[in-house]
Amino acid sequence: MALSATFNGPILASDFTKHCINSHAPTSSRNFIFTTCSLPSHAIQRSICCFRCSGRSGSVINLRWKEVEQRHSSLRGFFMCKVQQHDAISEEKEENISQATLIWRAIKLPIYSVALVPLTVGSAAAYLQTGLFSARRYFMLLASSIFIITWLNLSNDVYDFDTGADKDKKESVVNIVGSRTGTFIAAYLFLALGFLGLTYTSVEASNLRAILLLASSITCGYIYQCPPFRLSYQGLGEPLCFAAFGPFTTTAFYLLQSSTSELPITYTTLSASALVGFTTSLILFCSHFHQVEGDKAVGKFSPLVRLGTQAGSRIVKVAVATLYSGMLLLGFTQTLPFTCIILCALTIPVGKLVVSYVEKNHKDKAQIFMAKYYCVRFHVLFGVALTAGLVAAKMIARYPVPKPIF
């Protein structure tokens, strides 16, 4: 006699034994041989256990346990399919990016805030010192700065194309226009126009220190990405970015707002410029998260290639905490007006948003791409708050004129 039973849960030896004892003659004269076969189900394969009784004496039980193994194997396959499906969808989305979206990414319009914020904060620091503001000079410097940033973006695409770092980067200007030479010529044309505008404004203001600071800033941009230096490939991009957009550029724009005499450099000006440089460097740091594999392949040892994205997410958290701690210290020492501390403190939720987004998505290449844009928002809002604090200190709080260092 042969019977079969289907079990919907884990199979236990005691279940088989009890079933057999209750269904057959005494076990002393029976030999029970259990076999298993498997049929597919929705998520896991169920075991169908068939057994038969023989007339031979003795009791031999042969069990083949596959339920647990099948369950684990099926679940593992199920989750692997989900992961592969997610990756396939992400790749398909990347493949289907429209040309308009690629052009928008190539223009990098939000990144031009790194031209706007140093100029605005520097002008506000000059207003705190003198109570004066030249709108004409402001917009002349803004246009020149935009030309310089355009040179940085275009030349960066050219030199990354040369090294192969942008081989698969669809939003690279070189890949979009299909001409490395044309992009190169356009980049240095923008550099010439920008430097001409900065020089003209410096000569008009009779300020030699300003043009020297701006020349130093442009030099930082050149050695950051251009051969034979390419210091960004050695992981030195962030310090160069801090110096270029912080102490060099912001201080120079502060000096160029003078219309009568050369302004003194103060601790307030240097502190404000350092904060601007810090938030600008955070943008650059977060822009590396989605490029780790490509940078590593071409020998570009950015900080995230050296440290990994997990450690990089912790650095972002520490950096934001350091920014606000330093700002608070500057307020207590009266290096910065207290109005700056109050208004900049209002940007803390945006800083926390940057930290939480990076912590959550640092391993997701598709999502972490947006981290640099979160940093741009943070950079702009912090710069606006710092500017408003400097202006308010002059107009409302009657903050004393900062004492010169030199």
Side-chain angles (χ1 to χ4, degrees):
M1 181 177 63
L3 298 173
S4 64
T6 301
F7 295 87
N8 293 322
I11 304 174
L12 301 177
S14 58
D15 295 332
F16 284 117
T17 304
K18 290 177 182 178
H19 188 92
C20 191
I21 290 174
N22 293 334
S23 302
H24 303 285
T27 58
S28 58
S29 61
R30 303 289 183 184
N31 179 31
F32 302 101
I33 302 175
F34 292 86
T35 61
T36 63
C37 59
S38 61
L39 293 175
S41 181
H42 173 66
I44 57 175
Q45 293 179 343
R46 303 294 187 185
S47 294
I48 296 180
C49 303
C50 303
F51 58 90
R52 61 185 175 83
C53 301
S54 67
R56 289 172 297 180
S57 62
S59 179
V60 179
I61 300 177
N62 180 20
L63 300 176
R64 296 178 60 195
W65 306 105
K66 289 187 176 180
E67 176 73 12
V68 175
E69 182 178 336
Q70 289 170 351
R71 184 185 297 270
H72 289 178
S73 176
S74 299
L75 288 175
R76 183 169 59 250
F78 176 77
F79 287 118
M80 286 300 295
C81 286
K82 286 293 184 183
V83 171
Q84 292 171 358
Q85 183 181 15
H86 178 270
D87 291 343
I89 292 174
S90 298
E91 290 177 3
E92 184 178 356
K93 287 181 178 179
E94 289 296 318
E95 289 291 334
N96 295 330
I97 294 176
S98 66
Q99 188 71 10
T101 301
L102 291 177
I103 293 174
W104 171 256
R105 288 185 179 182
I107 293 173
K108 303 174 184 176
L109 188 59
I111 301 300
Y112 285 86
S113 63
V114 301
L116 180 64
V117 172
L119 173 60
T120 307
V121 172
S123 299
Y127 180 79
L128 176 65
Q129 189 75 28
T130 65
L132 301 174
F133 172 73
S134 173
R136 185 185 66 84
R137 192 169 292 175
Y138 177 90
F139 287 108
M140 172 68 78
L141 292 171
L142 180 60
S144 301
S145 299
I146 289 173
F147 289 148
I148 298 295
I149 299 302
T150 304
W151 161 69
L152 283 172
N153 287 336
L154 293 179
S155 60
N156 182 67
D157 281 0
V158 168
Y159 295 123
D160 278 349
F161 175 82
D162 291 343
T163 61
D166 281 358
K167 179 181 179 181
D168 299 321
K169 186 178 179 181
K170 295 181 180 180
E171 63 268 22
S172 168
V173 175
V174 178
N175 290 335
I176 290 176
V177 303
S179 173
R180 187 262 186 204
T181 303
T183 306
F184 179 84
I185 294 173
Y188 280 90
L189 179 60
F190 279 115
L191 174 61
L193 290 173
F195 190 74
L196 183 62
L198 295 176
T199 303
Y200 173 81
T201 308
S202 299
V203 170
E204 183 186 50
S206 301
N207 199 309
L208 179 61
R209 288 194 295 177
I211 193 60
L212 290 176
L213 287 171
L214 291 170
S216 299
S217 178
I218 294 173
T219 300
C220 286
Y222 186 89
I223 64 177
Y224 163 76
Q225 62 190 4
C226 301
F229 306 100
R230 288 196 175 113
L231 296 185
S232 62
Y233 281 66
Q234 307 304 318
L236 298 176
E238 283 70 18
L240 289 170
C241 181
F242 172 84
F245 291 96
F248 291 157
T249 300
T250 306
T251 304
F253 290 152
Y254 158 80
L255 294 172
L256 290 177
Q257 273 295 323
S258 172
S259 58
T260 55
S261 61
E262 190 168 293
L263 291 177
I265 295 178
T266 66
Y267 285 114
T268 300
T269 303
L270 290 180
S271 299
S273 66
L275 294 177
V276 171
F278 197 92
T279 55
T280 309
S281 299
L282 188 62
I283 298 174
L284 179 61
F285 184 84
C286 287
S287 69
H288 295 310
F289 273 100
H290 72 288
Q291 302 179 126
V292 171
E293 294 179 2
D295 288 347
K296 188 183 298 184
V298 297
K300 186 176 182 179
F301 295 102
S302 68
L304 288 173
V305 170
R306 298 178 184 274
L307 300 172
T309 59
Q310 180 71 48
S313 67
R314 290 194 290 266
I315 288 176
V316 171
K317 184 175 184 178
V318 171
V320 173
T322 301
L323 175 69
Y324 285 107
S325 300
M327 181 194 66
L328 192 61
L329 179 62
L330 292 171
F332 283 143
T333 58
Q334 296 187 342
T335 304
L336 283 177
F338 197 66
T339 50
C340 290
I341 311 307
I342 295 174
L343 293 175
C344 288
L346 297 178
T347 66
I348 289 178
V350 185
K352 291 176 64 177
L353 177 63
V354 171
V355 171
S356 62
Y357 186 84
V358 171
E359 285 184 332
K360 179 181 178 182
N361 299 293
H362 68 89
K363 292 183 179 179
D364 189 332
K365 184 178 177 181
Q367 293 295 328
I368 201 61
F369 176 83
M370 292 298 298
K372 62 182 177 182
Y373 294 109
Y374 279 92
C375 289
V376 168
R377 297 175 194 174
F378 177 55
H379 172 66
V380 171
L381 290 175
F382 191 90
V384 169
L386 187 58
T387 299
L390 292 169
V391 173
K394 185 67 175 180
M395 297 180 64
I396 303 172
R398 303 301 179 185
Y399 186 77
V401 176
K403 296 180 180 180
I405 304 173
F406 53 86

